[in-house]
Amino acid sequence: MIEYLQCVLQQFGRRVELIRLDAVRQAGHETVIIVGAQVARFTLRPSAYGEITGSGNLSKMPTSTKAGQNLVTYTTVRNAKSAPLSGVFFDYQMVPPSNRKGAAPTVWWKFNGGSWHHLIMTWHPATQSSTAQWVSGDAVLGNLPGFTTHTLEMTVDYPSGATHGFYAGTLLAGAKTCGYQLLGAITVSTDYLPR
């Protein structure tokens, strides 16, 4: 129910601490949530990891040999189930070769030949439970009909000052209709090995 509540909070534009649910009714896959005089109805379906798959690029991983070189990767994004997915999005995570921050890589993406979008990468230092990584915000792909395959094109370039080595990249995919559950992980990695 918490995942569904996140959808409601976004719809009503309120913060979690301020929400008081007046009524919640669930029948089958329909959930009706009432907040004050407003009613939100959702028809949600059970979702699972593996509904979004993709080819990744590990077999054709590009290598940058100089700062500012534009690396291009293509990967497929597939809705592996018959049911359509609405509000599909991904976050991109890049694990650098060391815990040293270095300069941020520049990342752009486009979906199905559409327009280019810039992904702002934010540094997350290592903790006791996670490695250091660059993480993007949500990139919204839109709706994916069932059993369809699409193309995601990404460019990555490393400025001078970026840490040299292998960057393990992962697209973490989800869909708003599935309550922000992780539906797939696709490898999109690059190397920065200037000469």
Side-chain angles (χ1 to χ4, degrees):
M1 191 55 149
I2 294 300
E3 293 88 7
Y4 305 156
L5 182 58
Q6 290 173 349
C7 294
V8 173
L9 296 175
Q10 285 191 340
Q11 180 174 340
F12 291 128
R14 298 183 185 173
R15 295 178 51 139
V16 175
E17 302 84 44
L18 304 176
I19 287 292
R20 181 175 66 82
L21 297 179
D22 295 317
V24 176
R25 179 175 58 87
Q26 193 162 12
H29 293 301
E30 182 181 59
T31 301
V32 178
I33 298 177
I34 302 169
V35 180
Q38 296 179 316
V39 176
R41 291 182 184 274
F42 297 93
T43 303
L44 299 168
R45 61 182 187 77
S47 301
Y49 183 81
E51 287 196 36
I52 297 176
T53 62
S55 60
N57 78 334
L58 217 48
S59 64
K60 296 178 183 176
M61 183 177 53
T63 299
S64 174
T65 57
K66 62 182 178 180
Q69 180 180 353
N70 197 16
L71 303 177
V72 180
T73 67
Y74 297 90
T75 187
T76 59
V77 176
R78 176 173 166 74
N79 179 351
K81 303 293 182 185
S82 60
L85 292 170
S86 299
V88 174
F89 63 92
F90 73 87
D91 296 335
Y92 186 47
Q93 298 180 347
M94 300 174 77
V95 177
S98 75
N99 286 334
R100 183 180 157 271
K101 181 178 179 182
T106 303
V107 181
W108 290 81
W109 66 275
K110 69 178 178 176
F111 190 61
N112 286 334
S115 58
W116 285 101
H117 304 278
H118 183 222
L119 274 180
I120 297 184
M121 304 302 289
T122 303
W123 178 250
H124 292 257
T127 66
Q128 287 183 342
S129 61
S130 69
T131 60
Q133 55 190 310
W134 291 100
V135 180
S136 76
D138 287 351
V140 179
L141 301 177
N143 301 329
L144 299 183
F147 293 130
T148 58
T149 301
H150 308 270
T151 301
L152 177 66
E153 182 177 352
M154 295 179 72
T155 67
V156 177
D157 69 63
Y158 294 95
S160 62
T163 305
H164 299 191
F166 171 70
Y167 283 74
T170 307
L171 298 171
L172 301 173
K176 292 181 181 177
T177 52
C178 294
Y180 296 92
Q181 177 181 347
L182 179 63
L183 299 179
I186 303 169
T187 301
V188 180
S189 297
T190 53
D191 268 323
Y192 178 50
L193 302 172
R195 294 182 182 149

